[in-house]
Amino acid sequence: MVVGDVTTGTDVLVVGAGPAGYVAAIRAGQLDLDVTLVEKDAYGGTCLNYGCIPSKALITATDVAHDAGNAEEMGIHADPAVDMAGMVSWKDDVVDQLTGGVEKLCKANGVNLLEGTATFADENTVRISHSGEGQGSETLEFEHAIVATGSRPIEIPNFSYDDEPVLSSKDALDLESVPESLVVVGAGYIGMELASVFAKLGTDVTVVEMLDSVLPGYDDDLKRPVKQRANDLDIEFEFGYTASEWEENGDGIRVTAEPAEQAATDGGAEAVEADTLELDAEKVLVAVGRQPVSDTLGLEEAGVETDDRGFIETDSRARTNVDHIFAVGDVAGEPMLAHKGSAEGQVAAEVIAGEPAAIDHQAMPAVVFTDPEIATVGMTESEAEDAGFETVTGEFPLRASGRALTMDESDGFVKIVAEEEEGYVLGAGIVAPEASELVAELGLAIELGATLEDVASTVHAHPTLSESVMEAAENALGHAIHTLNR
C-alpha cells in the first residue's frame, strides 16, 4: 500500500477484522489469494475486544468469587474480597493475548493488514481513510470484497451512551468498581448474562423487559431454570415495561419505565395495564440488542442492497446482489453469532477461490452464558413438527447425573429431538453447566446424520456431564438406565 494519490490493488479486500473478517482473510491467504484486511478499531472486532471474550472472562471470575462465598454446604466457609479493577485488568490481559494472536496469524498467512476506515467509491474501489493527524487516505482497487463490519449496540431514545451513567455492554465490561445498584434494560442474552455477573458481585439489579419473560425466543422449559437462578440471586424483574427516560437523582439516577404499548408475550401482543415505574440506581445498562454496521460504508456506491433493518442480504454462498462482493457475520443478518460469522467467512473465501462451498445453518449452535448455560442446535420439537417430521424426544434431568451432583449444579436437563421412524437426530436443547460444551456432540450428530442409536451406543466416560447426552438418547429409545422412561 502507498499512501497518497497512488492506487493499488488486491485480489480480495476484507473490511472488518472480527471473527468473520479475520477468518475470511486467513482462509483466503491459505488459498494463495492476495488479501488485504482493513480494520478501523481493533483486530478481533467486537467479539474479542468488547463482547464474547471479555464477558466470558468476567463471568468466570465472578463465578469463582460467588461459588467460593456460597459453598458452606460443602464445608467451605469464605468471604472473598473482589478487586474489580484487578478483575478487569486480568480480563484485558486475556483479550490482549487473543487479539495479538489474531494479528500474528494474519501476517503468518500472508494477509496484508491496513488500519483505517474503508468506504466504497464504486463496485471495484474503496477509499481508505487513516486516523491520526497527517495520515491522509488512499485508494484500493479489488477484484472481490468481503464485508465483515459486524454490529453495534442499539441505542434507545433518551439513553445516549455518551452520558456517563448510561452503559452499553462494552462500558459495563470496563467498570473498575462495582456499582451498588443497576437497572438493566433488556432481558435478552446480553442483559441476562451481565445482570448475573453484577448480582454475583453484590449489585442490586433490576431488569426491565417489554415482554413477559426473559430470553425471548427460547422455549420456556429451557429458560425456567435460568429465571429461577436469577431469582435466587435477588435479581428483580419488571416485565411489560420500556425504559423511557432517566434523570439525575442525588448521588445516582432515576430511570422511568412506561408500560409497553403492545407488550408482553413471546407468542403474541396483549396490552399491559400498569403504572409508570420509577427505579433508582447508580447506573443503567441498555442491552436491547444490536444493529448491523452497514450505514457508514457507502454501499450504495457499490450497488450493494440492504434490507429495511440494514442487514446485507446474501445467498447460500455469502454473495450479495453484486456478484463479486460478499457479506459475512453480523452485518449479513441473523443469527448474530461469532461462530456463524467465522463459518460464513470461510465459505466466502473458498467461493472466491473457486471451491464448491456453501453455508449450512442446520447444525448451527446457539449458546447463552447465563447460570446455568443454555445451548440449542438444530430444530426444536415444534419446528420439526412444522417441517413435517414425526418426532420422538428424549430427556435426561441433571438431578440424576452423578457428575452434576458432585458439582452442586443439578438444575437443568438435556433434551434430544429426533425423527421417529429412523431415529435421525434433528435438534437438541440443553440447560446445564457447560451446556456450551455439551452441545457440540449433538451438533456433530446432526451434521453427520447420526441416529439416536448412534449416540446411545457411544460409550461416554463416567462420571461426566456428557453422559446426560447419552441418557437422553436412550430415553428417546425407551431404555435409559438412570431416569424413568416415557
Side-chain angles (χ1 to χ4, degrees), residues 32 52 234 445 449:
D32 296 324
C52 317
D234 294 326

Side-chain angles (χ1 to χ4, degrees), residues 209 211-220 223 263-269:
E209 167 58 46
L211 299 178
D212 69 342
S213 67
V214 301
L215 300 172
Y218 285 89
D219 287 349
D220 287 343
K223 57 192 181 183
T265 66
D266 287 346

Side-chain angles (χ1 to χ4, degrees), residues 17 20 26 94-95 150 163 177 214 259 303 389 414:
I26 289 173
V94 173
V95 169
D163 295 330
S177 61
V214 301
F389 291 99
V414 175

Side-chain angles (χ1 to χ4, degrees), residues 171-218:
D171 300 325
L173 296 171
D174 283 332
L175 290 176
E176 295 199 350
S177 61
V178 179
E180 290 187 7
S181 53
L182 178 70
V183 171
V184 178
V185 182
Y189 73 96
I190 296 173
M192 288 300 294
E193 287 178 7
L194 292 177
S196 296
V197 164
F198 286 103
K200 288 180 179 180
L201 292 172
T203 302
D204 292 330
V205 178
T206 301
V207 178
V208 177
E209 167 58 46
M210 68 177 297
L211 299 178
D212 69 342
S213 67
V214 301
L215 300 172
Y218 285 89

Side-chain angles (χ1 to χ4, degrees), residues 81-136:
V82 174
D83 173 6
M84 191 65 181
M87 187 181 290
V88 169
S89 177
W90 171 75
K91 175 264 293 182
D92 290 342
D93 287 343
V94 173
V95 169
D96 289 345
Q97 181 177 342
L98 288 171
T99 55
V102 166
E103 189 171 355
K104 290 177 182 177
L105 284 169
C106 287
K107 291 178 179 178
N109 283 278
V111 177
N112 302 307
L113 300 178
L114 188 58
E115 295 182 7
T117 302
T119 307
F120 285 93
D122 57 46
E123 65 176 28
N124 289 105
T125 311
V126 292
R127 291 289 293 171
I128 312 294
S129 301
H130 301 288
S131 59
E133 186 176 349
Q135 293 300 304

Side-chain angles (χ1 to χ4, degrees), residues 426-450:
L426 300 175
I430 305 170
V431 55
E434 307 299 336
S436 53
E437 305 292 341
L438 295 175
V439 75
E441 177 180 354
L442 291 161
L444 181 62
I446 296 169
E447 184 69 26
L448 294 179

Side-chain angles (χ1 to χ4, degrees), residues 105-431:
L105 284 169
C106 287
K107 291 178 179 178
N109 283 278
V111 177
N112 302 307
L113 300 178
L114 188 58
E115 295 182 7
T117 302
T119 307
F120 285 93
D122 57 46
E123 65 176 28
N124 289 105
T125 311
V126 292
R127 291 289 293 171
I128 312 294
S129 301
H130 301 288
S131 59
E133 186 176 349
Q135 293 300 304
S137 61
E138 59 191 290
T139 299
L140 176 66
E141 294 181 347
F142 58 85
E143 293 185 20
H144 299 87
I146 301 173
V147 179
T149 46
S151 62
R152 57 177 172 246
I154 295 173
E155 274 194 351
I156 59 176
N158 302 320
F159 289 82
S160 171
Y161 294 131
D162 291 333
D163 295 330
E164 190 273 334
V166 180
L167 306 176
S168 67
S169 54
K170 174 183 174 182
D171 300 325
L173 296 171
D174 283 332
L175 290 176
E176 295 199 350
S177 61
V178 179
E180 290 187 7
S181 53
L182 178 70
V183 171
V184 178
V185 182
Y189 73 96
I190 296 173
M192 288 300 294
E193 287 178 7
L194 292 177
S196 296
V197 164
F198 286 103
K200 288 180 179 180
L201 292 172
T203 302
D204 292 330
V205 178
T206 301
V207 178
V208 177
E209 167 58 46
M210 68 177 297
L211 299 178
D212 69 342
S213 67
V214 301
L215 300 172
Y218 285 89
D219 287 349
D220 287 343
D221 56 348
L222 288 175
K223 57 192 181 183
R224 192 172 296 113
V226 174
K227 175 61 164 56
Q228 182 57 55
R229 187 68 57 88
N231 291 341
D232 294 342
L233 291 170
D234 294 326
I235 297 174
E236 299 287 337
F237 290 91
E238 297 293 351
F239 294 114
Y241 285 91
T242 58
S244 57
E245 61 183 355
W246 69 275
E247 61 183 1
E248 294 183 357
N249 181 36
D251 294 333
I253 61 172
R254 175 165 292 168
V255 176
T256 300
E258 304 285 349
E261 291 182 5
Q262 294 286 331
T265 66
D266 287 346
E270 296 180 2
V272 173
E273 295 184 6
D275 297 327
T276 297
L277 293 177
E278 291 185 341
L279 304 169
D280 293 335
E282 184 178 335
K283 304 278 187 183
V284 55
L285 165 63
V286 178
V288 295
R290 300 183 64 83
Q291 60 188 5
V293 179
S294 61
D295 55 342
T296 58
L297 300 172
L299 292 174
E300 63 280 359
E301 300 298 327
V304 176
E305 297 176 354
T306 61
D307 67 15
D308 57 1
R309 296 174 61 196
F311 291 110
I312 301 174
E313 298 179 313
T314 60
D315 63 15
S316 64
R317 307 188 79 192
R319 292 185 192 272
T320 69
N321 63 295
V322 179
D323 197 50
H324 64 283
I325 299 179
F326 297 71
V328 296
D330 285 4
V331 76
E334 302 282 0
M336 298 168 79
L337 303 168
H339 48 277
K340 171 256 194 184
S342 295
E344 291 174 341
Q346 292 200 55
V347 166
E350 290 169 3
V351 170
I352 290 170
E355 300 287 335
I359 299 163
D360 181 3
H361 288 158
Q362 72 169 346
M364 187 68 67
V367 178
V368 184
F369 290 86
T370 44
D371 182 8
E373 294 178 357
I374 292 175
T376 62
V377 66
M379 292 184 278
T380 64
E381 184 177 3
S382 60
E383 288 171 342
E385 291 173 350
D386 289 343
F389 291 99
E390 295 290 333
T391 62
V392 62
T393 63
E395 189 172 311
F396 185 76
L398 290 193
R399 64 180 180 272
S401 163
R403 184 67 183 113
L405 290 169
T406 65
M407 297 169 65
D408 195 28
E409 294 283 357
S410 58
D411 293 333
F413 58 86
V414 175
K415 180 179 180 179
I416 294 180
V417 179
E419 183 270 333
E420 186 172 28
E421 184 174 352
E422 300 293 338
Y424 292 112
V425 178
L426 300 175
I430 305 170
V431 55

